[in-house]
Amino acid sequence: GAGVSQSPSNKVTEKGKDVELRCDPISGHTALYWYRQSLGQGLEFLIYFQGNSAPDKSGLPSDRFSAERTGGSVSTLTIQRTQQEDSAVYLCASSRIPGLAGYEQFFGPGTRLTVL
Amino acid sequence: GESVGLHLPTLSVQEGDNSIINCAYSNSASDYFIWYKQESGKGPQFIIDIRSNMDKRQGQRVTVLLNKTVKHLSLQIAATQPGDSAVYFCAERGNTGKLIFGQGTTLQVKP
């Protein structure tokens, strides 16, 4: 596609429910990232997938958060037993393999999650 | 630990003036830095990048300066326009390859 797409654009859920957020990266991009952005804050790194390597999960805030990337393309971020503090915009980005050409990440529009 | 921060949360400038947005980083091993612009309701958009072996890089109306001695990064926007109003983030590539973002500076352009 032309850019990174994410779905849904908005998600409202009740505390305790599970949610799944989807990211479709740019075709051919081997690296995929998930970030969380709370209102008026910077981007908090969550997880990073690079090719067939084991993902860097060092940013996941708790074991309620998990992500997978199937076939090296689409990724799903799952939040189990959602809490109100999980409310934020979840951003996905993709990039080519880092190299001399740079490391630019292309971001999707984000999914705004609201936990009531 | 690794952190990237910005000196000012909000910068207000007059249309047509030059803007300078500053950023401090703490990881001296970072080898790559990026500036992103984020408009309301949208994901961050790449503006310009710079590698650690450079101290200046210019784009269209934007210049990024890197001072590795004091671990300082700045973004200069020439002839600021209303469309430049947004939140600007600096980011550094850390040892593991992932980007670490600062808190952001809101740029307000007054007509």
Side-chain angles (χ1 to χ4, degrees), chain A residues 33 35 37 40-43 45 48 56 58 91 98-105 107-109, chain B residues 32 34 36 38 41-46 49 51 89 93 96-104:
Chain A
Y33 316 79
Y35 296 89
Q37 186 175 31
Q41 299 296 312
L43 281 74
F45 167 79
Y48 162 43
D56 178 351
S58 60
L91 289 159
L100 293 176
Y103 194 77
E104 180 183 352
Q105 293 184 12
F107 282 83
Chain B
Y32 184 70
I34 309 177
Y36 282 90
Q38 187 176 27
K42 297 182 180 179
Q45 181 182 14
F46 172 88
D49 58 2
R51 305 193 75 84
F89 293 96
R93 181 168 71 180
T96 60
K98 65 177 182 275
L99 289 181
I100 301 163
F101 285 80
Q103 290 302 306

Side-chain angles (χ1 to χ4, degrees), chain A residues 64-107:
Chain A
R64 295 187 295 105
F65 289 72
S66 63
E68 61 180 25
R69 188 178 185 192
T70 55
S73 182
V74 172
S75 177
T76 302
L77 177 69
T78 301
I79 308 173
Q80 296 178 310
R81 305 181 302 282
T82 52
Q83 304 295 313
Q84 289 182 330
E85 59 263 29
D86 299 334
S87 297
V89 175
Y90 289 81
L91 289 159
C92 175
S94 71
S95 72
R96 290 188 178 89
I97 299 174
L100 293 176
Y103 194 77
E104 180 183 352
Q105 293 184 12
F106 294 84
F107 282 83

Side-chain angles (χ1 to χ4, degrees), chain B:
Chain B
E2 297 174 329
S3 67
V4 178
L6 291 162
H7 293 315
L8 294 174
T10 303
L11 176 66
S12 185
V13 300
Q14 203 70 37
E15 181 179 356
D17 287 352
N18 296 333
S19 302
I20 300 176
I21 301 172
N22 295 306
C23 181
Y25 63 94
S26 61
N27 187 352
S28 57
S30 293
D31 63 350
Y32 184 70
F33 303 86
I34 309 177
W35 281 100
Y36 282 90
K37 172 186 180 183
Q38 187 176 27
E39 296 175 289
S40 180
K42 297 182 180 179
Q45 181 182 14
F46 172 88
I47 302 173
I48 191 168
D49 58 2
I50 189 168
R51 305 193 75 84
S52 60
N53 61 353
M54 303 170 66
D55 53 20
K56 180 179 180 179
R57 190 167 187 218
Q58 288 185 296
Q60 187 176 12
R61 283 202 307 119
V62 295
T63 301
V64 55
L65 299 176
L66 176 63
N67 185 332
K68 294 182 289 294
T69 302
V70 295
K71 291 186 283 188
H72 183 270
L73 190 69
S74 69
L75 176 70
Q76 300 178 358
I77 304 173
T80 312
Q81 303 170 359
D84 296 327
S85 295
V87 178
Y88 290 80
F89 293 96
C90 64
E92 62 177 317
R93 181 168 71 180
N95 298 340
T96 60
K98 65 177 182 275
L99 289 181
I100 301 163
F101 285 80
Q103 290 302 306
T105 291
T106 299
L107 177 64
Q108 298 175 338
V109 182
K110 296 177 289 186

